[in-house]
Amino acid sequence: MAAEFDLVVIGSGPGGYVAAIRASQLGQKVAIIERESLGGICLNWGCIPTKALLKSGEKFESLSHLKDYGLSASGATFDFDAIIQRSRGVAATMNKGVTFLMKKNKIEVIEGSAKLEKGATAPKVVIELKAGGSRTVEAKAVMLAVGARARALPQIGLEADGDKIWAYRDALAPKKLPKTFVVIGSGAIGLEFASFYRALGSEVTVVEAVDRIMPVEDEEVSKAAQKSFEKRGIKIKVGAKVTKVSKTASGVKVDIEVGGKAESLEAEVCISAVGITANTDGIGLEALGVTLDRGHIVIDSHCQTNVKGLFAIGDCAGAPWLAHKASHEGIHAAEYIAGYKTPNVVSPIAGCTYTQPQVASVGVTEQAAREAKREVKIGRFPFRVNGKAVAAGEVDGFVKVIFDGKTGALIGAHMIGHEVTEMIQGYVTAITMEATEEDIHGIVYPHPTMSEAMHEAALDAYGRTIHL
């Protein structure tokens, strides 16, 4: 049987659908297989709808600070069901957009669940169609973009039931607003939900097993974030090991161990945000001999697996588990499959957390640089002396940059503050272009903007800061 397609993509998240579009642009005949909704978890149940919720929470919480701007209002309330419906509406709109893009780029969409079998140039794809029946397709290349799901810990009772123990899907479309809420895990997912529910008045406690929240971030940022969250009324317990999660008549009981002492937390609901598990089970990888590492698919610098014609991108292929990383890998792999000599897939990937305040970073942390015994120059600049931030009343936070002391290359940048997720790309570009301190010092930043703090932080690393 001759190959029906040049490329078959399994999974239509931000990695899969972007890869399919790029392959089509390059003249490839492409099919994409999706078992649920076009756009995948990110668009339908992750990145996009959570940002809609967070914006509603931010708007409502800001009403309590109107007097800081010489304004006043009274009787402000919210409609929780309407907030949830707005979020779902945003996701539906984006889903329609991806559907349009598939048609525009002449990509065949096959609705169903896929399983791989041994093939000639690439594995065969056997599809259990959503409409009933099955279909087998062959392609010159197959790309896995199957993503990941919330990790469960059934051995301690931490397994979502959609009622008292939530995963991220449950937190996005709850039946009611819980008055008390325990978040287990202080990564981006856990803290974003903590931020949203706290903004609407829930009593929120965050439990983290290690000695600080946001453990992947620079330590200074972690400490500043904890201080800001606690100021908003979010309770935080670090160095707290969860030993058992039990359902009660009124909600849940979370048993923890802190410093060798046992404690119990009680709430209406808890959410599991302790990591993710790749969706690599049940799709035939073991029979094909695909190499896995702790459940994730092992790939080379062009996203190829050890099986001929089989590629993998995004969350199923390992950290960082970020939508933009998946898109980047998808484009790279699509170009490579089409015969283009693309540069290495490794590029600096920014991490963004959309809490209040926001956190954004790229490159190495100060701790990682010190542990590697690198000579570094570090600069910092607080928003409290940035003109735009003062005028906007958004003075919390700072910018921190890390330069290689020998070459002057920018190797890390870390921010906490208002809308810093919109600013971090400046440093991503700088690291990608291998910018040095001289390059960044010579850039003219518009005034007044919060991005001027990026310039001042770079100047500070070399003792040249102006406004501090």
Side-chain angles (χ1 to χ4, degrees), residues 285-301:
L285 300 187
E286 294 81 3
L288 289 174
V290 176
T291 302
L292 301 176
D293 179 14
R294 288 170 291 181
H296 290 88
I297 302 167
V298 176
I299 57 174
D300 67 10
S301 61

PDB file of all heavy atoms in Angstrom, residues 285-301:
ATOM      1  N   LEU A 285       3.482   2.045  21.448  1.00  0.00           N
ATOM      2  CA  LEU A 285       4.907   2.401  21.456  1.00  0.00           C
ATOM      3  C   LEU A 285       5.788   1.235  21.877  1.00  0.00           C
ATOM      4  O   LEU A 285       6.880   1.034  21.332  1.00  0.00           O
ATOM      5  CB  LEU A 285       5.148   3.600  22.372  1.00  0.00           C
ATOM      6  CG  LEU A 285       4.409   4.894  22.031  1.00  0.00           C
ATOM      7  CD1 LEU A 285       4.881   6.025  22.923  1.00  0.00           C
ATOM      8  CD2 LEU A 285       4.601   5.263  20.564  1.00  0.00           C
ATOM      9  N   GLU A 286       5.320   0.470  22.863  1.00  0.00           N
ATOM     10  CA  GLU A 286       6.129  -0.643  23.380  1.00  0.00           C
ATOM     11  C   GLU A 286       6.360  -1.693  22.301  1.00  0.00           C
ATOM     12  O   GLU A 286       7.489  -2.185  22.127  1.00  0.00           O
ATOM     13  CB  GLU A 286       5.452  -1.276  24.599  1.00  0.00           C
ATOM     14  CG  GLU A 286       5.376  -0.367  25.813  1.00  0.00           C
ATOM     15  CD  GLU A 286       4.229   0.630  25.750  1.00  0.00           C
ATOM     16  OE1 GLU A 286       3.446   0.583  24.763  1.00  0.00           O
ATOM     17  OE2 GLU A 286       4.112   1.467  26.662  1.00  0.00           O
ATOM     18  N   ALA A 287       5.321  -2.037  21.553  1.00  0.00           N
ATOM     19  CA  ALA A 287       5.445  -3.057  20.506  1.00  0.00           C
ATOM     20  C   ALA A 287       6.392  -2.623  19.394  1.00  0.00           C
ATOM     21  O   ALA A 287       7.081  -3.448  18.793  1.00  0.00           O
ATOM     22  CB  ALA A 287       4.063  -3.369  19.925  1.00  0.00           C
ATOM     23  N   LEU A 288       6.452  -1.312  19.155  1.00  0.00           N
ATOM     24  CA  LEU A 288       7.359  -0.789  18.128  1.00  0.00           C
ATOM     25  C   LEU A 288       8.792  -0.656  18.635  1.00  0.00           C
ATOM     26  O   LEU A 288       9.711  -0.458  17.848  1.00  0.00           O
ATOM     27  CB  LEU A 288       6.881   0.585  17.640  1.00  0.00           C
ATOM     28  CG  LEU A 288       5.612   0.617  16.791  1.00  0.00           C
ATOM     29  CD1 LEU A 288       5.200   2.065  16.524  1.00  0.00           C
ATOM     30  CD2 LEU A 288       5.814  -0.127  15.482  1.00  0.00           C
ATOM     31  N   GLY A 289       8.963  -0.722  19.955  1.00  0.00           N
ATOM     32  CA  GLY A 289      10.300  -0.568  20.527  1.00  0.00           C
ATOM     33  C   GLY A 289      10.742   0.869  20.666  1.00  0.00           C
ATOM     34  O   GLY A 289      11.945   1.168  20.675  1.00  0.00           O
ATOM     35  N   VAL A 290       9.776   1.777  20.790  1.00  0.00           N
ATOM     36  CA  VAL A 290      10.109   3.192  20.950  1.00  0.00           C
ATOM     37  C   VAL A 290      10.776   3.407  22.310  1.00  0.00           C
ATOM     38  O   VAL A 290      10.275   2.955  23.338  1.00  0.00           O
ATOM     39  CB  VAL A 290       8.847   4.076  20.834  1.00  0.00           C
ATOM     40  CG1 VAL A 290       9.187   5.543  21.101  1.00  0.00           C
ATOM     41  CG2 VAL A 290       8.218   3.916  19.453  1.00  0.00           C
ATOM     42  N   THR A 291      11.903   4.102  22.319  1.00  0.00           N
ATOM     43  CA  THR A 291      12.630   4.357  23.560  1.00  0.00           C
ATOM     44  C   THR A 291      11.919   5.417  24.391  1.00  0.00           C
ATOM     45  O   THR A 291      11.610   6.510  23.905  1.00  0.00           O
ATOM     46  CB  THR A 291      14.066   4.828  23.261  1.00  0.00           C
ATOM     47  OG1 THR A 291      14.733   3.833  22.492  1.00  0.00           O
ATOM     48  CG2 THR A 291      14.836   5.058  24.558  1.00  0.00           C
ATOM     49  N   LEU A 292      11.653   5.075  25.652  1.00  0.00           N
ATOM     50  CA  LEU A 292      11.010   5.988  26.580  1.00  0.00           C
ATOM     51  C   LEU A 292      11.927   6.273  27.764  1.00  0.00           C
ATOM     52  O   LEU A 292      12.755   5.444  28.130  1.00  0.00           O
ATOM     53  CB  LEU A 292       9.696   5.398  27.098  1.00  0.00           C
ATOM     54  CG  LEU A 292       8.613   5.047  26.068  1.00  0.00           C
ATOM     55  CD1 LEU A 292       7.436   4.381  26.768  1.00  0.00           C
ATOM     56  CD2 LEU A 292       8.161   6.284  25.324  1.00  0.00           C
ATOM     57  N   ASP A 293      11.753   7.435  28.363  1.00  0.00           N
ATOM     58  CA  ASP A 293      12.483   7.790  29.573  1.00  0.00           C
ATOM     59  C   ASP A 293      11.465   8.318  30.580  1.00  0.00           C
ATOM     60  O   ASP A 293      10.928   9.409  30.414  1.00  0.00           O
ATOM     61  CB  ASP A 293      13.547   8.854  29.272  1.00  0.00           C
ATOM     62  CG  ASP A 293      14.321   9.279  30.507  1.00  0.00           C
ATOM     63  OD1 ASP A 293      14.236   8.583  31.541  1.00  0.00           O
ATOM     64  OD2 ASP A 293      15.018  10.318  30.445  1.00  0.00           O
ATOM     65  N   ARG A 294      11.170   7.524  31.603  1.00  0.00           N
ATOM     66  CA  ARG A 294      10.166   7.872  32.612  1.00  0.00           C
ATOM     67  C   ARG A 294       8.838   8.266  31.966  1.00  0.00           C
ATOM     68  O   ARG A 294       8.187   9.231  32.355  1.00  0.00           O
ATOM     69  CB  ARG A 294      10.688   8.994  33.516  1.00  0.00           C
ATOM     70  CG  ARG A 294      11.780   8.547  34.470  1.00  0.00           C
ATOM     71  CD  ARG A 294      12.430   9.694  35.177  1.00  0.00           C
ATOM     72  NE  ARG A 294      13.225  10.498  34.270  1.00  0.00           N
ATOM     73  CZ  ARG A 294      13.938  11.574  34.628  1.00  0.00           C
ATOM     74  NH1 ARG A 294      13.930  11.951  35.889  1.00  0.00           N
ATOM     75  NH2 ARG A 294      14.626  12.251  33.747  1.00  0.00           N
ATOM     76  N   GLY A 295       8.477   7.498  30.954  1.00  0.00           N
ATOM     77  CA  GLY A 295       7.197   7.695  30.296  1.00  0.00           C
ATOM     78  C   GLY A 295       7.205   8.669  29.144  1.00  0.00           C
ATOM     79  O   GLY A 295       6.247   8.739  28.375  1.00  0.00           O
ATOM     80  N   HIS A 296       8.271   9.443  29.006  1.00  0.00           N
ATOM     81  CA  HIS A 296       8.374  10.402  27.911  1.00  0.00           C
ATOM     82  C   HIS A 296       9.167   9.815  26.745  1.00  0.00           C
ATOM     83  O   HIS A 296      10.077   9.005  26.939  1.00  0.00           O
ATOM     84  CB  HIS A 296       9.030  11.697  28.385  1.00  0.00           C
ATOM     85  CG  HIS A 296       8.171  12.493  29.306  1.00  0.00           C
ATOM     86  ND1 HIS A 296       8.170  12.311  30.669  1.00  0.00           N
ATOM     87  CD2 HIS A 296       7.264  13.476  29.058  1.00  0.00           C
ATOM     88  CE1 HIS A 296       7.310  13.137  31.223  1.00  0.00           C
ATOM     89  NE2 HIS A 296       6.739  13.851  30.278  1.00  0.00           N
ATOM     90  N   ILE A 297       8.830  10.222  25.540  1.00  0.00           N
ATOM     91  CA  ILE A 297       9.467   9.704  24.333  1.00  0.00           C
ATOM     92  C   ILE A 297      10.825  10.373  24.135  1.00  0.00           C
ATOM     93  O   ILE A 297      10.936  11.601  24.178  1.00  0.00           O
ATOM     94  CB  ILE A 297       8.570   9.954  23.106  1.00  0.00           C
ATOM     95  CG1 ILE A 297       7.203   9.285  23.311  1.00  0.00           C
ATOM     96  CG2 ILE A 297       9.230   9.445  21.838  1.00  0.00           C
ATOM     97  CD1 ILE A 297       6.146   9.723  22.315  1.00  0.00           C
ATOM     98  N   VAL A 298      11.845   9.563  23.912  1.00  0.00           N
ATOM     99  CA  VAL A 298      13.195  10.085  23.693  1.00  0.00           C
ATOM    100  C   VAL A 298      13.340  10.483  22.235  1.00  0.00           C
ATOM    101  O   VAL A 298      13.041   9.699  21.323  1.00  0.00           O
ATOM    102  CB  VAL A 298      14.255   9.035  24.076  1.00  0.00           C
ATOM    103  CG1 VAL A 298      15.657   9.538  23.747  1.00  0.00           C
ATOM    104  CG2 VAL A 298      14.145   8.684  25.562  1.00  0.00           C
ATOM    105  N   ILE A 299      13.794  11.716  21.989  1.00  0.00           N
ATOM    106  CA  ILE A 299      13.971  12.219  20.635  1.00  0.00           C
ATOM    107  C   ILE A 299      15.376  12.779  20.450  1.00  0.00           C
ATOM    108  O   ILE A 299      16.072  13.077  21.428  1.00  0.00           O
ATOM    109  CB  ILE A 299      12.942  13.313  20.297  1.00  0.00           C
ATOM    110  CG1 ILE A 299      13.031  14.478  21.298  1.00  0.00           C
ATOM    111  CG2 ILE A 299      11.540  12.733  20.251  1.00  0.00           C
ATOM    112  CD1 ILE A 299      12.152  15.672  20.951  1.00  0.00           C
ATOM    113  N   ASP A 300      15.784  12.932  19.165  1.00  0.00           N
ATOM    114  CA  ASP A 300      17.078  13.548  18.880  1.00  0.00           C
ATOM    115  C   ASP A 300      16.887  15.034  18.606  1.00  0.00           C
ATOM    116  O   ASP A 300      15.815  15.600  18.853  1.00  0.00           O
ATOM    117  CB  ASP A 300      17.779  12.830  17.717  1.00  0.00           C
ATOM    118  CG  ASP A 300      17.064  13.013  16.376  1.00  0.00           C
ATOM    119  OD1 ASP A 300      16.121  13.842  16.284  1.00  0.00           O
ATOM    120  OD2 ASP A 300      17.457  12.325  15.411  1.00  0.00           O
ATOM    121  N   SER A 301      17.916  15.689  18.081  1.00  0.00           N
ATOM    122  CA  SER A 301      17.863  17.136  17.871  1.00  0.00           C
ATOM    123  C   SER A 301      16.896  17.550  16.774  1.00  0.00           C
ATOM    124  O   SER A 301      16.653  18.746  16.573  1.00  0.00           O
ATOM    125  CB  SER A 301      19.267  17.674  17.560  1.00  0.00           C
ATOM    126  OG  SER A 301      19.770  17.084  16.381  1.00  0.00           O
TER     127      SER A 301
END
